[in-house]
C-alpha cells in the first residue's frame, strides 16, 4: 500500500514537472511564445490598449503578464489542472476541446501498433530461439535488423507514395471517410481501420524486429536455465515447457520494454500523424507549430505526457498480475 | 651484461612494460577488432560507418558543394556523367547534396552522443555509488525525465529555440535520452559497488573519484559505448524527421531538408518522375542507420559476457549436453 501511494505520488509529480516545464518554456524564454503572442495581437489590433492586450494574452495562454512570476506560475498551474489549457490562436477553440476530440484516434493507432508489434515480435522471437542457428533464425534475424534500421516515417512516406498515391489502394489522409457516418457500426469500424492501416503498418514493420530479437535473446537465456533441464528430466510435455516455462519467463522482461515503447511510439505518432494527415494529437501539435499556436502546442505536449504517464502507471500497477514475485513491489527496478 | 649489474633489473622492467603495452593493445584493440572482423554483419557495419566518415571528411573536398542551378532542373539519375544521380528541383546535384549533408550530420551525432552518454554516466554513477538521499533524488528526477516523451519535447524545444549549429541541434534532439540511460547505468553501478574489488579499494581508502574512474567506469564502458552508437541513431532519426517536416531552420545541408524540398516543392509523392529526389536521401539515411545497428549489435556481441559465454558454449557443445539438447 505504501508502495502504491509512492508510485501514484511519483506519477503526479511527473505531470506537475511537465506542466512546470511548459510554463518555463512559454514564459521565461526571452523572445519566446509569450512575446510572440503579444506582438501578434498588437499587430492585428494596432489601436488596442496595453491592458486589453494583456487580457487577450491571458485568455489565450492562461497567463497574466502583469502578475509576478510566482503568481503567474500558480495561476497557470491551477488553470491547467482545472482542465483549462487556454485557447488556440489558430483555430479559436479551447485547446482542451480540440485535443480531447483528437486523443481517442491517437490512442486507437497506438494500441493497434503496440498490439501487433508485440504479438509478432514475441511469436517470431520464440520461434527463432527454438530454431537457433537455423536458416529460419538467420533469415529473420537479418530481416528484423534491416527493418529496425528504417525510420518509421521513412517507411510511412514510402507507403504513402507507393500504396496511396501510385496504386491508389489506401487513403492519403484523414481518419475516416465522410461517406460513413460516425458511430458504433461495423462499417465505421472497418473504415477507421482502413484509414489507420498505413500508420499502424509503418510502426509495426519498423519495430517488431526489436521485440523479436529481444524475445529471442531472452528465450535462449531461459533455455539454458537449470529449472528447464529439471522440467525436461521430469518428462513434462513439450507444450507445457514451451508456454509455461520458457514463454512466461522470456516475456517478463519485455513488459518493461513495453512501457518504454509506449513513450517512444507516442513521440513517433507526432511525426507519423503529420505525414499521414491523420488528425490525432500529433497532427494538431504540428499544425500548432506551423501556425506558431503556442497554447495548442504546449497543450498537446502536456496531454501526450499525461497519457504516457498514465499508460506507464497502468502497466506498472498490473505488472504484479503477470509476475507474482513482484506483488509487493518494494524492491522492484521499474518506474 | 653481468648478472650482478644493477642495470639488469631495469632491462627486465623495460621489457615487461613493452609487453604490458602489447598485452593491452591485444586486449583492448586487436582482439575486439578480430572479433568484429570475424562476424560479417559487424564487418559490414564497420565498413558502412567508415564510408560515411570518409564521405564527411574526404568526400566534401572531392565533391563540389551543392548550389542552385548547378545543372538543369530535375535531371533524372543515371542520364549524364556530370550529374550521375541527377539534380533536384533547384538544379542542385544530388551527390553534392548527400555528401555535403554528412559533416553536419556527424557533428550532430557526436554532440548528441557525447551529451547523452556523458550526462547519463555522471548522474548514473553518482546516484548508484553514493546511494542514500542523493540517489533517491537523482532517481526520481531521472524517472520523471524518462516519462516525458523525448521527441515531442525535442520538437517543442526546437520550435522555441530554433537552433542552427549542428552541435546544439544534437543536444536538443537527445534532450532526455540521458534519463533512461542514466537509470540503467545506476542499476549496474549499484551491483558493482558491492563487488569485492570495489570493497577492497574502499578499504584501502582510495578516494571516491578514483574508485569511480578506475573500478566502476571501465566496467560499464562497453554499455556506454553501445549506447553512444544508439544515441547517434536517435539523432539521425529525429534530425531527419524534424528537418523533413520543417521544424528546424534550414541553415544546414541535411538529408531531411532535401527530402522536404522533394516532398513540398517537387511533388515527389505524386509524380514518379520526381520520386528519386525523395528516394536518394532516404537510402542514405537507411544505410547509415543500418550500419549503426550492425555496429552496436556487433559491439554487444564483443562486450556482452552472456553472449560471449553462449558463443563459446555453442563451439564446445558436447561439454554441456543439457543446453545442447534444448536447442
Amino acid at each position: 500500500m505504501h508502495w502504491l501511494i509512492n508510485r501514484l505520488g511519483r506519477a503526479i509529480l511527473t505531470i506537475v514537472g511537465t506542466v512546470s516545464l511548459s510554463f518555463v518554456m512559454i514564459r521565461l524564454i526571452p523572445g519566446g511564445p509569450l512575446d510572440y503572442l503579444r506582438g501578434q495581437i498588437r499587430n492585428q489590433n494596432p489601436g488596442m490598449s496595453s491592458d486589453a492586450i494583456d487580457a487577450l494574452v491571458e485568455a489565450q495562454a492562461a497567463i497574466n503578464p502583469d502578475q509576478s512570476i510566482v503568481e503567474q506560475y500558480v495561476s497557470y498551474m491551477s488553470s491547467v489542472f482545472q482542465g483549462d489549457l487556454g485557447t488556440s490562436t489558430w483555430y479559436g477553440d479551447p485547446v482542451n476541446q480540440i485535443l480531447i476530440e483528437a486523443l481517442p484516434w491517437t490512442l486507437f493507432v497506438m494500441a493497434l501498433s503496440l498490439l501487433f508489434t508485440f504479438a509478432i515480435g514475441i511469436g517470431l522471437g520464440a520461434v527463432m530461439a527454438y530454431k537457433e542457428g537455423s536458416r529460419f533464425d538467420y533469415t529473420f534475424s537479418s530481416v528484423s535488423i534491416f527493418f529496425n534500421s528504417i525510420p518509421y516515417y521513412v517507411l510511412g512516406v514510402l507507403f504513402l507514395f507507393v500504396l496511396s498515391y501510385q496504386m491508389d489502394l489506401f487513403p492519403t489522409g484523414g481518419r475516416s471517410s465522410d461517406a460513413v457516418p460516425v458511430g458504433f457500426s461495423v462499417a465505421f469500424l472497418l473504415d477507421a481501420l482502413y484509414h489507420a492501416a498505413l500508420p499502424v503498418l509503418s510502426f509495426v514493420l519498423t519495430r517488431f524486429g526489436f521485440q523479436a530479437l529481444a524475445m529471442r535473446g531472452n528465450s535462449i537465456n531461459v533455455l539454458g536455465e537449470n529449472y528447464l533441464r529439471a522440467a525436461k528430466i521430469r518428462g513434462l510435455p513439450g507444450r507445457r515447457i514451451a508456454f509455461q516455462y520458457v514463454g512466461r519467463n522470456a516475456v517478463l522482461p519485455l513488459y518493461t520494454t513495453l512501457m518504454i515503447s509506449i513513450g517512444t511510439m507516442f513521440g513517433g505518432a507526432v511525426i507519423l500523424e503529420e505525414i499521414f494527415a491523420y488528425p490525432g494529437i500529433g497532427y494538431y501539435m504540428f499544425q500548432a507549430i506551423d501556425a506558431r499556436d503556442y497554447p495548442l502546442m504546449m497543450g498537446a505536449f502536456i496531454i501526450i505526457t499525461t497519457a504516457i504517464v498514465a499508460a506507464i502507471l497502468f502497466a506498472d500497477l498490473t505488472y504484479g498480475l503477470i509476475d507474482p514475485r513482484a506483488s509487493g513491489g518494494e524492491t522492484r527496478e521499474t518506474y | 651484461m653481468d648478472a650482478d649489474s644493477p642495470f639488469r633489473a631495469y632491462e627486465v622492467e623495460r621489457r615487461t612494460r613493452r609487453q604490458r603495452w602489447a598485452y593491452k593493445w591485444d586486449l583492448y584493440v586487436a582482439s575486439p577488432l578480430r572479433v568484429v572482423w570475424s562476424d560479417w554483419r559487424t564487418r559490414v557495419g564497420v565498413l558502412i560507418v567508415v564510408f560515411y566518415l570518409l564521405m564527411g571528411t574526404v568526400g566534401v573536398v572531392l565533391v563540389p558543394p551543392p548550389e542552385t542551378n548547378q545543372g538543369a532542373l530535375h535531371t533524372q539519375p543515371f542520364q549524364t556523367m556530370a550529374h550521375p544521380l541527377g539534380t533536384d528541383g533547384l538544379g542542385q546535384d544530388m551527390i553534392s547534396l548527400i555528401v555535403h549533408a554528412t559533416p553536419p550530420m556527424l557533428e550532430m551525432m557526436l554532440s548528441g552522443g557525447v551529451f547523452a552518454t556523458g550526462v547519463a554516466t555522471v548522474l548514473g554513477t553518482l546516484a548508484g555509488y553514493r546511494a542514500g538521499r542523493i540517489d533517491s533524488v537523482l532517481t526520481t528526477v531521472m524517472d520523471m525525465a524518462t516519462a516525458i516523451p523525448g521527441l515531442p519535447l525535442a520538437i517543442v524545444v526546437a520550435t522555441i529555440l530554433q537552433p542552427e549549429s549542428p552541435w546544439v541541434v544534437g543536444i536538443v534532439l537527445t534532450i532526455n535520452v540521458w534519463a533512461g540511460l542514466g537509470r540503467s547505468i545506476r542499476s549496474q553501478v549499484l551491483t558493482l559497488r558491492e563487488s569485492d574489488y570495489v570493497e577492497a579499494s574502499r578499504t584501502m581508502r582510495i578516494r571516491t573519484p578514483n574508485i569511480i574512474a578506475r573500478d566502476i567506469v571501465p566496467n560499464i564502458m562497453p554499455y556506454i559505448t553501445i549506447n553512444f552508437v544508439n544515441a547517434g541513431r536517435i539523432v539521425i532519426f529525429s534530425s531527419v524527421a524534424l528537418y523533413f517536416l520543417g521544424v528546424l531552420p534550414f541553415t544546414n545541408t541535411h538529408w531531411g531538408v532535401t527530402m522536404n524540398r522533394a516532398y513540398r516543392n517537387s511533388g515527389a509523392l505524386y509524380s514518379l518522375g520526381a520520386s528519386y529526389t525523395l528516394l536518394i536521401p532516404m537510402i542514405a539515411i537507411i544505410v547509415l542507420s543500418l550500419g549503426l545497428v550492425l555496429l552496436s549489435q556487433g559491439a554487444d556481441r564483443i562486450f556482452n559476457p552472456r553472449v560471449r559465454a553462449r558463443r563459446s558454449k555453442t563451439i564446445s557443445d558436447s561439454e554441456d549436453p543439457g543446453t545442447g539438447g534444448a536447442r
Side-chain angles (χ1 to χ4, degrees):
Chain A
M1 204 55 211
H2 174 73
W3 173 81
L4 186 69
I5 293 166
N6 201 345
R7 185 65 193 77
L8 281 172
R10 200 175 273 184
I12 292 168
L13 198 63
T14 306
I15 293 172
V16 171
T18 309
V19 179
S20 309
L21 191 69
S22 72
F23 172 79
V24 169
M25 286 195 285
I26 288 184
R27 181 62 188 87
L28 297 182
I29 293 175
L34 214 59
D35 289 343
Y36 180 86
L37 194 60
R38 193 174 299 130
Q40 207 181 24
I41 295 172
R42 189 168 294 135
N43 284 348
Q44 284 163 359
N45 316 287
M48 198 178 250
S49 72
S50 164
D51 286 346
I53 291 176
D54 283 351
L56 259 180
V57 168
E58 181 187 18
Q60 294 195 342
I63 286 173
N64 181 357
D66 276 348
Q67 295 170 323
S68 73
I69 294 286
V70 179
E71 282 173 322
Q72 282 182 33
Y73 177 71
V74 170
S75 74
Y76 179 77
M77 294 299 276
S78 65
S79 58
V80 166
F81 280 98
Q82 284 164 20
D84 178 11
L85 294 167
T87 307
S88 161
T89 55
W90 180 253
Y91 293 95
D93 294 324
V95 169
N96 51 13
Q97 187 187 318
I98 298 173
L99 295 179
I100 296 276
E101 186 261 342
L103 184 63
W105 295 93
T106 302
L107 291 177
F108 176 61
V109 172
M110 289 296 93
L112 283 178
S113 307
L114 277 174
L115 187 72
F116 285 116
T117 305
F118 276 82
I120 296 173
I122 288 173
L124 186 65
V127 178
M128 283 194 319
Y130 262 92
K131 302 191 170 192
E132 197 210 352
S134 68
R135 179 175 286 271
F136 178 88
D137 175 32
Y138 195 70
T139 313
F140 277 92
S141 293
S142 307
V143 167
S144 299
I145 292 174
F146 177 70
F147 274 109
N148 228 352
S149 39
I150 304 176
Y152 50 88
Y153 54 86
V154 165
L155 196 64
V157 171
L158 277 177
F159 278 150
L160 203 59
F161 173 63
V162 177
L163 297 177
S164 296
Y165 281 105
Q166 300 302 324
M167 297 174 71
D168 223 5
L169 287 176
F170 284 94
T172 57
R175 49 196 191 191
S176 67
S177 310
D178 294 336
V180 184
V182 179
F184 286 102
S185 64
V186 177
F188 178 69
L189 187 68
L190 286 177
D191 188 54
L193 283 173
Y194 176 60
H195 280 79
L198 286 187
V200 170
L201 209 59
S202 313
F203 261 138
V204 172
L205 280 181
T206 51
R207 292 195 64 95
F208 83 92
F210 182 73
Q211 313 302 341
L213 292 176
M215 179 68 189
R216 175 182 177 275
N218 292 341
S219 304
I220 288 173
N221 276 337
V222 175
L223 284 172
E225 294 285 349
N226 281 332
Y227 61 78
L228 204 79
R229 206 177 301 174
K232 245 174 266 149
I233 293 168
R234 279 169 65 200
L236 293 178
R239 266 182 82 86
R240 188 165 161 204
I241 292 179
F243 284 102
Q244 295 196 357
Y245 283 70
V246 183
R248 277 183 79 169
N249 285 298
V251 165
L252 276 184
L254 288 187
Y255 207 71
T256 318
T257 323
L258 175 76
M259 290 190 243
I260 299 167
S261 290
I262 296 172
T264 48
M265 277 202 173
F266 240 112
V270 176
I271 287 169
L272 220 49
E273 285 177 0
E274 165 71 8
I275 286 172
F276 285 105
Y278 191 90
I281 299 272
Y283 175 81
Y284 284 113
M285 189 165 167
F286 253 101
Q287 297 297 98
I289 288 168
D290 278 347
R292 287 285 182 276
D293 182 348
Y294 289 104
L296 184 57
M297 180 174 92
M298 296 320 298
F301 177 64
I302 290 171
I303 295 275
I304 290 174
T305 311
T306 310
I308 291 173
V309 170
I312 293 177
L313 182 68
F314 176 77
D316 213 7
L317 295 181
T318 50
Y319 187 81
L321 295 179
I322 62 162
D323 188 359
R325 287 171 301 187
S327 54
E330 272 88 7
T331 55
R332 242 180 38 238
E333 274 289 311
T334 47
Y335 36 87
Chain B
M1 201 171 282
D2 195 89
D4 300 326
S5 162
F7 293 107
R8 197 190 148 151
Y10 177 68
E11 267 293 314
V12 169
E13 219 222 336
R14 248 170 69 98
R15 260 226 312 272
T16 38
R17 191 175 295 159
R18 204 178 299 142
Q19 278 171 342
R20 207 155 57 216
W21 277 109
Y23 173 73
K24 273 193 175 165
W25 167 263
D26 186 63
L27 185 69
Y28 292 116
V29 184
S31 59
L33 279 181
R34 265 199 299 276
V35 179
V36 163
W37 212 246
S38 67
D39 182 71
W40 75 267
R41 282 184 288 194
T42 321
R43 197 160 54 199
V44 171
V46 171
L47 288 177
I48 289 173
V49 172
V50 168
F51 175 75
Y52 277 83
L53 287 177
L54 286 177
M55 197 152 93
T57 49
V58 184
V60 286
V61 182
L62 297 178
V63 179
E67 285 168 45
T68 42
N69 296 321
Q70 242 171 328
L73 309 187
H74 284 304
T75 310
Q76 293 292 312
F78 313 120
Q79 299 296 319
T80 62
M81 277 310 288
H83 308 289
L85 291 182
T87 57
D88 75 348
L90 296 172
Q92 305 180 91
D93 183 63
M94 289 307 289
I95 291 183
S96 298
L97 282 172
I98 298 297
V99 170
H100 282 268
T102 320
M105 187 85 239
L106 294 175
E107 286 165 14
M108 283 175 206
M109 286 162 62
L110 185 63
S111 83
V114 169
F115 172 74
T117 51
V119 174
T121 310
V122 171
L123 294 186
T125 43
L126 193 66
Y129 194 79
R130 293 302 285 275
R133 178 157 297 171
I134 294 179
D135 179 31
S136 57
V137 169
L138 282 179
T139 309
T140 310
V141 169
M142 286 192 279
D143 279 350
M144 281 168 58
T146 315
I148 298 174
L151 196 56
L153 180 62
I155 290 174
V156 168
V157 174
T159 308
I160 294 175
L161 291 182
Q162 292 287 300
E164 294 182 357
S165 152
W167 304 101
V168 181
V169 172
I171 292 173
V172 167
L173 295 178
T174 51
I175 192 153
N176 83 335
V177 176
W178 57 269
L181 184 55
R183 192 70 166 76
S184 49
I185 287 177
R186 173 194 166 266
S187 320
Q188 298 193 5
V189 173
L190 220 53
T191 46
L192 280 176
R193 71 188 284 268
E194 302 303 330
S195 63
D196 295 341
Y197 53 89
V198 176
E199 189 76 53
S201 298
R202 258 203 303 272
T203 323
M204 287 192 288
R205 297 258 175 104
I206 292 175
R207 288 174 56 238
T208 310
N210 285 345
I211 297 181
I212 290 177
R214 302 223 181 114
D215 293 339
I216 306 269
V217 171
N219 276 293
I220 51 173
M221 209 55 213
Y223 188 74
I224 296 174
T225 314
I226 291 169
N227 277 287
F228 181 84
V229 176
N230 287 344
R233 211 162 64 90
I234 291 174
V235 171
I236 300 178
F237 275 40
S238 314
S239 70
V240 172
L242 296 202
Y243 277 110
F244 174 48
L245 295 173
V247 175
L248 286 163
F250 287 2
T251 42
N252 296 306
T253 314
H254 196 283
W255 303 323
V257 176
T258 311
M259 281 173 65
N260 179 289
R261 295 233 165 83
Y263 188 77
R264 309 241 164 178
N265 304 343
S266 304
L269 274 188
Y270 325 107
S271 64
L272 267 176
S275 58
Y276 67 94
T277 52
L278 196 56
L279 286 175
I280 291 171
M282 277 183 182
I283 292 168
I285 295 155
I286 294 175
V287 172
L288 177 56
S289 156
L290 181 67
L292 291 179
V293 171
L294 291 174
L295 194 65
S296 81
Q297 292 204 335
D300 194 42
R301 266 191 289 275
I302 301 172
F303 294 134
N304 192 341
R306 226 166 45 190
V307 176
R308 209 162 48 196
R310 202 168 52 70
R311 286 267 137 193
S312 56
K313 234 190 257 173
T314 18
I315 295 164
S316 55
D317 220 14
S318 55
E319 284 174 26
D320 198 346
T323 36
R327 296 205 190 102

